[in-house]
Amino acid sequence: MARTTSSSTGGSSAPRNRTPQPLPRRRRTFGDFVKAFFAFVALVALVVGVPGALAYAVGWPLPGGAPSLGWLQQEITVGTFINVLTVVVWLAWAQFTACVLVEVKAALSGVGMPNRIPGAGGSQLLARQLVAALLLVGATAASFAPGLSQFGQSLEGNQRPASAASAQQTPGGLFGQEQAGSTASAIAEQAEQAAAHADGSAKDGDTKYYRIQPPEGRHHDSMWEIAERHLGDGRRYKEIYQLNKDREQPDGSKLSEASLIRPGWIMEMPADAHGGELVEMPDEAPKVSQDVKEQISDYAKSGDHRQGGGAQEQGGGQQGGGHQGDRDTAHITIPEQRPSDTGKGEGQQEAPAASQAGQSQESSFGLPEALLGAPLLAAGLLLALGRRRRHALWQSAMGAVGGRRGMEPPTPTGDAADVQDALLVGADPEGVRLLDLSLRGLAASLADESRALPTVYAAWLSNGDLHLQLAQPAGRPPAPWQLGQDQTFWMLARTDAERYEDVDTAAPYPGLVSLGTLDDSRLLLNLEAVPGVVSLSGTEADRAAVFASVAAELATNGWSDRMTITLVGFGQDLTPLAPNRLRHLDDIEALIETMEAETRQRRGALGAAGHDSVLTGRTGPAQHTRWAPHLVLLAAEPTGDDAVKLAELAADASRLGIGYLVGTESGDLPGAAWEMEITREGKLLAPLLGLELEAQSLPEAQQRAVVELFTDADPGEDGTGSSAGSGRAATAPPFLVDVTEQGRPAVYARLVGTYEIIGLDTPDGERSPLMHEALALLLLHREGVHPRVLASALWPRGVTEDVRDALVERLREWLGTEPDGTPRLRADRSGRLTLAKSVVSDLDVLRSLYHEATQGRGANSRAVRGRMLTDALVLVRGPLLADRPRGRYAWLTHEIIDAQLPLLVADIGLALSEFHLEKGRAEKAIEALNAALNSSPGDERLWNELLRATHAVGDPARLQQVAADLVARSGARGVPPRTEALLDELLPAWRSGLSAVG
């Protein structure tokens, strides 16, 4: 399965090419030698000729003695100008000569990027071109390093683990942390390798082979680059992949994905491949070791019989392997995927996104695609939004003790409605839950074994499995985790993750955040662990969309504890998403001042605790400190001293639990460990490897809509809800029914308690549960349900468009038509499915009765109010959908009806209690309150009114028993202050009498 995709090769959005320049696409010609000759002449003329000419024609231009005041009084002559110009030329020559020496040293040593000479942009470029032209033709392969023979020796003699490359190189590695070498050194390095590779060839004559190069300096070989150098087009890497797929390599493993290649592997090349690095005659190559000759020869013989199995052997055979453990090096590799044996195919992280198979291109409904494809972000936002709405409900209720209203959250409209639908469709709460359980379970298991947490650079969610990529091998993982494709991958199957239970341990990797997808794999980068700054280049709007996505997910995710996200230069409007996690700073000066202090504090705290990093502080005896993560998102590129200071702070940040994601216009940021680019097409690129991700982003329009959802859900400034304490009437329910005898519905569904439907025939056995669930969802959303939201709710793991449409049509036929022939299930102008007013639920009736009793006819008629409140309380037969089958109705976790219904029942009980107490019927009031407590046992208002009603009876022992029940129910939290004050008023000796009652 090829997992790399081609990057754009043209246009302004093409990635900056930091890879070594390709070799000439033909063998050396007479023109090459002519160019080399002229380069040599130019170098001699500039390096030797210029100083000789200056010395001969002008001589020493500087004065012969110490400067004096008389110099200022001398006449300026032509000679003075000539001497000044001569000094300038001498300085320019010195600068150019330094550039030549630096470029030659880099080319001959193969160390990678040559040093930059200050202010020598043009001069160094000219020196680079001249040196490259000269060395490319004029040097022999034996005079350069590393060659093929040396590479083979480094593998065999130095025992460099072959499998380590799978954690370092590969075009499937998403980010090359280090920058590539300059043009001159890269060309020279390729020239160094060229002759050594040309020394061998295959026995079949014209067939050409290429041996994968080891990581050298800051460059890592990739199949894309091989195709670009030897076939003229990086996109032809697929041809190389097809020629070599599943053939056994010298280390015993096989090429199963184009993104997974290792140093020392041999690649058969297409017939038109060219370039000096190709090997054609291994038996005649005197500088290639005998082992390498035999490996190439054996590989050539295996070409006619492809071997099956497409799975790469774990661990790279006997070499073990993994990352070399260099703290300053980090590369991310796409994990191998196991064949799915569950038949589910949606994946732990992709279920919601995949749930709309066949619908992703559907544009008639216009939901924001950015959120549809971000399941973890959408789940976090939905969870946080639900918490915010529940908090607002309780704030509204508790702010008006004895209040007679239920609070209805505002119904989103416009872009906010579309964004809410997109969140409902795209969210994968189960994926978030399993990810959190898996990570915490791993931390708990390691703590039980007295093992430290390994450094994790990234997590991949692929086909339901979780893959952690480690910075370096850390032994075998604790069960049920397994080793992945090599020693640097730990893998947990979804079926094993589902068996995890909640554990009381700190989140081990709170800095993980989604960046995008490649095919069916989703990458989460651990920003907290990156050894330096992560830079992001691209247009300002595109960068802002990525930054907003990162900030929103970090602020609302479920796998982090005590997260702090600092937004600098952007995102002030995002703080309503999580005021306790998000903070905003205006400029980089304030950031540097803040982070310098925090860095010192964290270093001191780690030292005092005896930990070398926050990872050791998150397990074992000290885990209660949590070592909270802090991630900095800086939108604007720092310059000058600020950039240097930021790089210094970031150098030790990964050890301290601090991460930095910084935007850049130029793409060249000091201290950048990993460099990314976001294109206008929504691709997140790692230019060094030519790899593309479908970036996860949150564009500005969706940002505003998401923030609108949160701000609309917030309580009012007085903390009592949007209408509490304002004197305004409570908001009417979104749907009111006629509660008179004339308002008898055609279809009546009982949702509060056991689910029953009156007025419809029961569908056949196979379809009945699905049809009932769909109707329940529509009844709870009288404003309408988007068809994609309906499909996502009923089939969390995915469904095609035709299956969804077939269900809607069956549901329409089941509900029937009105007397005038119009269907009871219809679509509004936006395409959302709505029910006719003749289709009613008991929850609709319950809301309507309470509204009519307190704000309608019952407000002016005591008899009507009492009758309607009594009828409403009788409708409460238990919790919502009490008998719903296990495994279904998972969408209820996104709803707030579980908070609305108890509050509504409590409001009804309070209103009916007041109705009876007005006439001195304390027993009737107590009966109403106890009925309401059955559905809302934790409502403080009900207990307070029960204490008052019981006190009105005049039975101290009974009041003492109610107080004892209340205290017992309060548990370790104790009695709320307001209730405690009421007990002191009604039963002053309640504390001393509780033990006797108990």
Side-chain angles (χ1 to χ4, degrees):
M1 181 187 302
R3 307 189 58 75
T4 56
T5 55
S6 62
S7 60
S8 175
T9 57
S12 60
S13 64
R16 295 180 299 106
N17 184 13
R18 288 181 172 270
T19 62
Q21 300 298 312
L23 287 168
R25 298 173 183 172
R26 51 186 170 78
R27 296 187 181 279
R28 289 173 287 186
T29 65
F30 178 75
D32 296 326
F33 287 98
V34 171
K35 291 179 183 178
F37 173 75
F38 281 113
F40 175 76
V41 172
L43 283 172
V44 171
L46 292 173
V47 176
V48 180
V50 168
L54 289 175
Y56 176 78
V58 180
W60 185 251
L62 298 177
S68 64
L69 186 62
W71 286 10
L72 300 178
Q73 300 173 352
Q74 291 180 0
E75 180 181 0
I76 299 177
T77 64
V78 174
T80 304
F81 279 108
I82 291 176
N83 287 336
V84 171
L85 290 175
T86 302
V87 171
V88 172
V89 173
W90 272 106
L91 292 175
W93 170 84
Q95 185 186 61
F96 178 77
T97 302
C99 293
V100 171
L101 294 175
V102 165
E103 295 294 334
V104 170
K105 178 180 180 296
L108 294 177
S109 62
V111 296
M113 175 176 284
N115 296 325
R116 292 183 179 180
I117 303 300
S123 296
Q124 191 159 6
L125 178 60
L126 175 61
R128 182 177 305 163
Q129 293 172 340
L130 293 175
V131 171
L134 180 62
L135 293 180
L136 182 61
V137 177
T140 64
S143 64
F144 295 107
L148 178 60
S149 61
Q150 292 165 309
F151 179 44
Q153 293 164 7
S154 70
L155 283 173
E156 298 158 8
N158 299 335
Q159 295 299 312
R160 183 179 180 127
S163 61
S166 66
Q168 295 182 0
Q169 37 89 104
T170 81
L174 178 58
F175 305 114
Q177 178 219 349
E178 309 285 0
Q179 298 176 344
S182 68
T183 304
S185 63
I187 292 178
E189 181 179 332
Q190 292 169 357
E192 295 164 9
Q193 299 166 350
H197 284 284
D199 285 341
S201 69
K203 292 182 179 180
D204 56 358
D206 294 335
T207 305
K208 301 170 184 176
Y209 297 90
Y210 177 86
R211 190 172 176 87
I212 304 301
Q213 299 300 294
E216 182 64 28
R218 301 183 176 186
H219 173 248
H220 299 260
D221 218 344
S222 73
M223 200 173 288
W224 176 279
E225 291 178 322
I226 297 168
E228 192 172 58
R229 289 199 300 269
H230 299 295
L231 300 176
D233 187 349
R235 290 171 292 186
R236 293 184 63 187
Y237 76 91
K238 296 179 182 179
E239 299 176 33
I240 306 175
Y241 170 71
Q242 291 300 329
L243 283 172
N244 297 277
K245 181 182 178 182
D246 296 333
R247 291 171 63 180
E248 187 169 338
Q249 294 290 338
D251 63 359
S253 54
K254 299 176 183 178
L255 173 67
S256 60
E257 298 181 19
S259 61
L260 299 174
I261 59 176
R262 299 177 179 177
W265 280 10
I266 301 164
M267 297 287 116
E268 181 179 341
M269 301 293 289
D272 62 336
H274 51 263
E277 294 175 293
L278 300 178
V279 178
E280 296 182 359
M281 295 177 295
D283 290 341
E284 300 178 10
K287 295 187 180 297
V288 177
S289 70
Q290 185 62 34
D291 289 341
V292 172
K293 295 178 188 178
E294 293 176 358
Q295 289 173 6
I296 297 176
S297 179
D298 292 342
Y299 190 76
K301 295 175 183 177
S302 68
D304 293 332
H305 45 281
R306 295 280 192 265
Q307 301 182 28
Q312 186 171 314
E313 297 180 8
Q314 292 185 3
Q318 75 280 8
Q319 307 234 21
H323 204 283
Q324 291 299 306
D326 185 352
R327 277 182 46 83
D328 297 327
T329 305
H331 300 277
I332 295 180
T333 306
I334 298 175
E336 282 185 0
Q337 298 187 23
R338 302 179 307 116
S340 176
D341 55 2
T342 63
K344 297 175 182 177
E346 285 78 32
Q348 178 172 326
Q349 82 293 353
E350 294 298 325
S355 68
Q356 304 308 313
Q359 301 176 32
S360 61
Q361 301 303 319
E362 180 182 349
S363 59
S364 59
F365 296 113
L367 295 185
E369 294 295 330
L371 290 170
L372 293 177
L376 304 184
L377 169 61
L381 288 171
L382 267 185
L383 182 64
L385 181 60
R387 286 196 302 263
R388 188 70 55 85
R389 286 173 170 171
R390 290 180 178 88
H391 177 70
L393 286 172
W394 281 101
Q395 287 286 88
S396 173
M398 296 301 114
V401 175
R404 306 297 175 255
R405 61 175 183 79
M407 176 183 170
E408 295 291 339
T411 301
T413 58
D415 289 344
D418 289 339
V419 161
Q420 178 170 275
D421 286 339
L423 292 176
L424 290 168
V425 174
D428 182 14
E430 181 66 7
V432 171
R433 187 184 72 86
L434 291 180
L435 177 61
D436 186 33
L437 287 177
S438 302
L439 296 176
R440 294 181 194 269
L442 174 64
S445 298
L446 289 172
D448 291 342
E449 298 178 7
S450 300
R451 295 171 61 185
L453 286 167
T455 300
V456 168
Y457 281 143
W460 288 92
L461 291 166
S462 301
N463 286 340
D465 300 335
L466 173 61
H467 304 255
L468 296 183
Q469 184 169 356
L470 314 184
Q472 58 189 21
R476 295 199 63 84
W481 289 77
Q482 309 169 31
L483 282 176
Q485 63 202 46
D486 60 41
Q487 297 288 332
T488 62
F489 275 95
W490 286 4
M491 189 273 290
L492 181 68
R494 182 188 178 100
T495 53
D496 293 327
E498 290 171 342
R499 292 196 287 267
Y500 264 120
E501 298 180 355
D502 291 327
V503 292
D504 182 19
T505 190
Y509 304 112
L512 287 169
V513 65
S514 303
L515 289 184
T517 58
L518 180 61
D519 297 333
D520 52 359
S521 294
R522 178 171 301 277
L523 170 70
L524 288 84
L525 179 66
N526 190 3
L527 291 177
E528 185 189 32
V530 176
V533 171
V534 178
S535 70
L536 177 66
S537 61
T539 66
E540 183 177 358
D542 294 329
R543 295 200 319 266
V546 174
F547 272 89
S549 171
V550 170
E553 185 170 298
L554 290 172
T556 60
N557 71 36
W559 57 87
S560 299
D561 295 327
R562 297 176 58 203
M563 172 73 70
T564 298
I565 307 107
T566 298
L567 312 179
V568 185
F570 86 105
Q572 188 170 8
D573 295 338
L574 294 175
T575 52
L577 301 183
N580 294 330
R581 284 193 177 188
L582 289 167
R583 70 176 181 181
H584 177 267
L585 296 178
D586 293 328
D587 51 45
I588 191 172
E589 288 78 11
L591 171 69
I592 290 177
E593 180 180 356
T594 300
M595 297 313 298
E596 284 179 341
E598 182 167 339
T599 298
R600 287 194 301 269
Q601 187 274 332
R602 289 196 175 217
R603 284 174 178 162
L606 282 176
H611 301 308
D612 58 351
S613 76
V614 295
L615 291 179
T616 56
R618 287 180 184 155
T619 55
Q623 67 168 301
H624 64 277
T625 62
R626 303 294 183 181
W627 299 102
H630 185 176
L631 301 175
V632 175
L633 306 181
L634 175 60
E637 179 177 0
T639 58
D641 292 341
D642 291 338
V644 174
K645 290 179 181 177
L646 190 65
E648 292 173 351
L649 289 171
D652 194 33
S654 60
R655 187 177 68 90
L656 305 175
I658 304 174
Y660 293 87
L661 178 61
V662 181
T664 171
E665 293 286 348
S666 63
D668 189 7
L669 189 67
W674 290 341
E675 295 180 340
M676 299 182 294
E677 178 184 4
I678 178 68
T679 71
R680 293 183 182 274
E681 294 75 27
K683 303 291 185 181
L684 193 67
L685 307 178
L688 178 62
L689 299 176
L691 187 68
E692 298 180 359
L693 284 178
E694 292 293 335
Q696 179 172 299
S697 62
L698 189 61
E700 184 178 1
Q702 279 81 64
Q703 291 178 42
R704 291 196 301 268
V706 167
V707 172
E708 180 182 338
L709 291 174
F710 278 78
T711 53
D712 285 349
D714 274 332
E717 292 183 0
D718 58 359
T720 59
S722 59
S723 62
S726 61
R728 295 177 297 188
T731 305
F735 177 71
L736 290 172
V737 301
D738 185 355
V739 293
T740 66
E741 288 295 328
Q742 292 74 28
R744 188 176 299 274
V747 177
Y748 182 67
R750 292 176 175 172
L751 304 179
V752 184
T754 303
Y755 191 2
E756 300 175 11
I757 299 178
I758 301 172
L760 292 176
D761 294 332
T762 302
D764 59 60
E766 182 180 350
R767 296 174 179 171
S768 180
L770 203 61
M771 303 280 276
H772 278 70
E773 185 174 358
L775 180 57
L777 178 62
L778 291 166
L779 286 167
L780 291 177
H781 290 277
R782 303 302 306 220
E783 73 278 8
V785 176
H786 197 292
R788 297 180 72 174
V789 173
L790 179 66
S792 176
L794 299 179
W795 293 282
R797 295 199 177 278
V799 69
T800 57
E801 183 180 345
D802 56 345
V803 172
R804 178 202 69 192
D805 292 343
L807 170 77
V808 172
E809 189 57 35
R810 285 195 296 269
L811 191 60
R812 185 177 285 113
E813 293 176 0
W814 182 43
L815 292 172
T817 60
E818 298 283 66
D820 61 1
T822 58
R824 293 188 179 120
L825 177 63
R826 60 196 71 169
D828 62 14
R829 292 182 178 179
S830 66
R832 288 175 171 83
L833 300 171
T834 60
L835 293 172
K837 292 185 177 181
S838 61
V839 182
V840 173
S841 73
D842 56 353
L843 187 59
D844 297 325
V845 176
L846 191 66
R847 288 167 168 161
S848 299
L849 283 171
Y850 176 67
H851 178 76
E852 189 70 17
T854 56
Q855 299 181 51
R857 289 179 296 141
N860 300 316
S861 172
R862 173 179 171 80
V864 171
R865 182 168 72 255
R867 175 171 53 82
M868 287 187 171
L869 290 173
T870 301
D871 290 346
L873 202 56
V874 169
L875 287 176
V876 181
R877 299 175 299 120
L880 188 75
L881 298 167
D883 61 341
R884 60 180 180 266
R886 182 170 184 156
R888 301 210 64 89
Y889 296 85
W891 48 270
L892 281 173
T893 59
H894 295 153
E895 307 286 341
I896 62 168
I897 185 63
D898 60 335
Q900 286 178 300
L901 181 58
L903 286 175
L904 176 60
V905 173
D907 281 343
I908 294 170
L910 291 169
L912 188 57
S913 170
E914 182 185 34
F915 172 81
H916 289 304
L917 287 175
E918 287 176 353
K919 292 296 184 180
R921 297 193 290 264
E923 291 293 345
K924 288 287 186 180
I926 292 173
E927 181 181 345
L929 292 169
N930 282 325
L933 279 169
N934 289 332
S935 294
S936 186
D939 196 308
E940 181 186 357
R941 299 171 301 159
L942 290 174
W943 282 103
N944 291 350
E945 288 302 304
L946 182 60
L947 287 171
R948 292 189 179 96
T950 306
H951 181 265
V953 173
D955 186 346
R958 188 174 176 182
L959 180 61
Q960 189 77 31
Q961 183 61 54
V962 172
D965 293 342
L966 174 60
V967 172
R969 186 179 294 271
S970 299
R973 294 176 301 173
V975 178
R978 189 178 300 178
T979 303
E980 186 175 4
L982 180 62
L983 282 171
D984 289 337
E985 175 188 346
L986 301 179
L987 193 64
W990 65 277
R991 291 179 178 85
S992 58
L994 287 181
S995 57
V997 174

